[in-house]
Amino acid sequence: MIKTDIVIIGSGIAALSVAVTLCKNGRKAIILTKGLRNSSNSSLAQGGISVALSKNDNFNMHYNDTLEAGCYYNNPEAVMALVSNAPKVIKDFINSGMKFDTDEKGNLLFGKEGAHHINRIIHAGGDRTGQKVMEELFSQLNENITINEGEMVMELRVKNNECSGVITRDLDGNINRYEANYTILATGGIGQLYPCTSNDITITGDGLAMAYRAGLELSNLEFIQFHPTMLNINGKTKGLVSEAVRGDGGILVNQNGVKIMEGVHELKDLAPRDVVSRVVYNRCLRGDHIYLDISRIENFEERFPYVSEICKENGIDLSKKLIPIRPGAHFHMGGIKASPDGKTNINGLYAIGEAACTGVHGANRLASNSLLEGIVFGRFTAENIMKSKRIALHFDDEESYVKLDKLPDKAEIQKKMMEFIGIVRYRNKIPKIIKWFENFIPDKLEKPFGKINLTEITDEQMEIYNMLTSGYLIAKSAFNRDESLGAHYIISEE
Ligand code: SIN
């Protein structure tokens, strides 16, 4: 048994925000990540961080935009906690060394993205905000933080509503048991459940699945945001084309140059993401090819170096000013029910970032609120932990002897999710995917997709089991909400 104070699962912005606050206050923590330290959606984030710092802005306006994009399904207290604390937390981050893009006088530059009524998005390295923010956060860690790469958390250690750490497998294949006073789930979302996604390859719904096995409360699972503009090369997704491109004047057009958002929504190309994604999706179904027309954007390559790089790598001639796009799974608004300071229904177990559902995003997240959520609520979680005193209960884990008999491959799950729980869902078809998932429930489990024997399963099989579990839970939630709301767009029959 490895005894430790704090275990953080995941290495994205929320994980690092907790870690930085803890380590600067002399607390030790171990970060466990199944991939490399940079294997996170945060490192890939482009657009930026939304924060009411410009002179024409205030946090009440940010609050209103967040609620409007979220279809007023948000938790208003969580939204207020986020937007009202954002200016101070971001100013502290800048004072601690973070460099966002500025004009020649040193004033922050504010970009625009969908559903914001004002330019509010600060960015770094043009469209390399995630990479720059993460580099800065990593540089602020000190010797109090240990990072174990290639160590996959397989299970949470929970008994009688108390969490005492995790069970992992490391790179050498050893099964390790950690006894921790505090365990923090910062595992990201579920993007890899879909064939087209902006998410890192490691994002396979692990946190959601293990939370379910451990008895954590889950919420809003049916709300999955599709980003309208993923670079699309011959039907394959090759990375994200930031919404900031539309904020700077990019326009969605079809192969005939028709502006597809004209007359659809008052914000046109900058309508909320769920609206834009559905328009693109429906156009593609009708055989259209959709492009981002970037001809109105001056100095495109300078402002969007990362998007330019991935376009060129994939043979797009930027002088033609048209980038082929289609929507892809981007962000999970649902997840583990948690408060803004990370508390869940299990003592000693916290959830933050995309893995958590504080209700801050409602039914559809406002652009660039997710890096913000990670940094603000990550800090709240660390502060909450520093105020409390908890000693993990010592107990032996209950072993499961149930073995996996059959598993599909990842591509099969992705295809089914896109078909049945995609941008448009048909209620009469959802039972089919639930039944399909049920084929893979191992016998003799107390509950569907419960705990299985860890010694007889590879990391890859565990990921597939987690994808099945998450997909099954999402499909059930999607079936239970029979009216459309935000990113959950449901039609009774096909
Ligand atoms: C983007 O750059 O378009 C993504 C920003 C976000 O998802 O908030």
Side-chain angles (χ1 to χ4, degrees):
M1 186 75 78
I2 303 162
K3 291 201 180 198
T4 179
D5 187 14
I6 302 164
V7 157
I8 304 170
I9 315 166
S11 59
I13 188 167
L16 288 205
S17 175
V18 181
V20 165
T21 310
L22 288 172
C23 75
K24 286 185 177 171
N25 287 281
R27 290 291 286 263
K28 288 189 167 22
I30 301 177
I31 292 178
L32 300 169
T33 172
K34 68 177 180 178
L36 299 172
R37 64 190 66 203
N38 290 325
S39 316
S40 70
N41 288 342
S42 307
S43 295
L44 297 172
Q46 295 180 13
I49 299 185
S50 59
V51 55
L53 279 178
S54 83
K55 55 180 182 308
N56 305 323
D57 203 0
N58 61 58
F59 66 74
N60 285 316
M61 287 161 70
H62 188 184
Y63 175 83
N64 290 337
D65 284 352
T66 302
L67 290 188
E68 195 178 327
C71 303
Y72 298 92
Y73 197 67
N74 318 57
N75 171 350
E77 284 97 47
V79 178
M80 191 44 92
L82 181 71
V83 299
S84 63
N85 285 286
K88 174 167 182 348
V89 173
I90 297 301
K91 276 188 203 159
D92 287 351
F93 190 33
I94 293 171
N95 291 337
S96 70
M98 177 62 204
K99 288 187 176 42
F100 289 102
D101 295 338
T102 58
D103 63 15
E104 57 289 346
K105 292 191 184 131
N107 301 312
L108 284 171
L109 292 170
F110 294 92
K112 197 157 190 214
E113 289 182 31
H116 288 271
H117 285 84
I118 191 168
N119 284 39
R120 179 182 289 135
I121 319 295
I122 55 171
H123 44 85
D127 56 1
R128 289 199 164 99
T129 310
Q131 182 194 323
K132 299 285 176 195
V133 163
M134 295 303 286
E135 279 169 8
E136 178 58 35
L137 286 170
F138 276 116
S139 79
Q140 294 188 15
L141 297 179
N142 63 27
E143 65 290 346
N144 290 328
I145 305 296
T146 306
I147 305 181
N148 291 1
E149 295 181 316
E151 183 159 356
M152 182 173 184
V153 176
M154 315 285 274
E155 221 58 277
L156 298 162
R157 303 186 53 241
V158 172
K159 204 172 191 174
N160 302 332
N161 225 44
E162 298 284 335
C163 181
S164 290
V166 296
I167 307 178
T168 70
R169 183 161 41 221
D170 64 24
L171 273 178
D172 300 322
N174 304 311
I175 298 270
N176 301 316
R177 284 162 208 279
Y178 287 80
E179 188 170 277
N181 302 327
Y182 302 92
T183 301
I184 305 171
L185 275 157
T187 44
I190 49 85
Q192 286 296 334
L193 264 66
Y194 290 88
C196 303
T197 179
S198 59
N199 284 201
D200 187 79
I201 191 78
T202 55
I203 306 298
T204 48
D206 303 331
L208 183 62
M210 62 185 140
Y212 161 78
R213 292 195 288 273
L216 276 154
E217 271 179 52
L218 309 173
S219 150
N220 292 1
L221 300 189
E222 63 276 28
F223 297 117
I224 294 161
Q225 181 169 80
F226 283 77
H227 195 293
T229 58
M230 307 283 309
L231 177 61
N232 173 36
I233 307 291
N234 302 326
K236 290 220 157 47
T237 297
K238 299 288 181 181
L240 182 67
V241 181
S242 176
E243 199 159 88
V245 172
R246 276 173 284 139
D248 274 26
I251 293 181
L252 289 161
V253 296
N254 74 359
Q255 66 283 0
N256 302 319
V258 172
K259 296 175 182 168
I260 64 168
M261 290 308 296
E262 210 63 46
V264 175
H265 191 281
E266 51 165 9
L267 295 175
K268 298 186 186 173
D269 295 85
L270 289 174
R273 280 188 191 157
D274 57 324
V275 177
V276 184
S277 288
R278 274 195 298 277
V279 173
V280 177
Y281 174 78
N282 285 326
R283 287 269 181 179
C284 291
L285 278 186
R286 286 173 8 211
D288 272 8
H289 295 276
I290 307 299
Y291 301 88
L292 250 180
D293 174 348
I294 56 168
S295 55
R296 284 160 203 79
I297 305 177
E298 279 173 30
N299 306 325
F300 183 85
E301 293 188 38
E302 209 177 290
R303 168 69 178 93
F304 298 105
Y306 182 69
V307 172
S308 302
E309 189 182 304
I310 57 171
C311 283
K312 285 183 197 159
E313 271 170 21
N314 286 286
I316 303 295
D317 177 359
L318 285 173
S319 71
K320 298 207 167 109
K321 310 282 182 196
L322 289 175
I323 302 177
I325 59 88
R326 74 170 179 191
H330 186 55
F331 188 86
H332 198 193
M333 276 72 73
I336 300 157
K337 200 166 173 199
S339 60
D341 55 3
K343 280 199 257 350
T344 68
N345 63 309
I346 292 189
N347 293 327
L349 187 49
Y350 297 75
I352 52 172
E354 192 176 345
C357 176
T358 60
V360 84
H361 305 302
N364 178 45
R365 175 173 64 83
L366 181 69
S368 285
N369 265 355
S370 54
L371 290 184
L372 183 68
E373 177 192 18
I375 202 157
V376 176
F377 290 173
R379 179 161 145 179
F380 287 2
T381 301
E383 287 167 354
N384 176 5
I385 287 174
M386 289 186 304
K387 274 190 260 150
S388 77
K389 282 199 172 68
R390 182 175 186 271
I391 302 293
L393 286 183
H394 183 73
F395 57 75
D396 292 330
D397 298 306
E398 283 158 19
E399 305 284 335
S400 169
Y401 297 100
V402 176
K403 291 183 196 168
L404 284 181
D405 41 1
K406 55 179 175 175
L407 284 174
D409 60 31
K410 288 181 178 173
E412 272 181 274
I413 302 174
Q414 292 166 339
K415 191 162 170 276
K416 294 270 185 224
M417 285 297 285
M418 196 62 208
E419 185 183 348
F420 292 96
I421 316 288
I423 296 171
V424 173
R425 295 133 187 214
Y426 297 95
R427 195 155 190 276
N428 67 324
K429 285 174 70 183
I430 296 179
K432 287 193 192 151
I433 190 176
I434 295 177
K435 249 188 146 34
W436 183 78
F437 280 126
E438 283 169 352
N439 287 325
F440 301 102
I441 297 175
D443 290 340
K444 304 189 202 81
L445 286 175
E446 275 169 39
K447 63 177 185 180
F449 294 112
K451 289 189 180 175
I452 46 165
N453 185 348
L454 297 180
T455 56
E456 302 211 14
I457 182 169
T458 65
D459 289 2
E460 171 83 359
Q461 286 170 327
M462 191 76 212
E463 280 187 338
I464 296 175
Y465 191 60
N466 288 338
M467 287 170 72
L468 284 172
T469 309
S470 301
Y472 170 75
L473 296 171
I474 291 168
K476 290 194 98 169
S477 294
F479 185 71
N480 288 339
R481 182 178 296 281
D482 56 9
E483 283 185 357
S484 295
L485 187 67
H488 175 67
Y489 189 79
I490 193 150
I491 296 175
S492 48
E493 271 183 46
E494 186 171 27

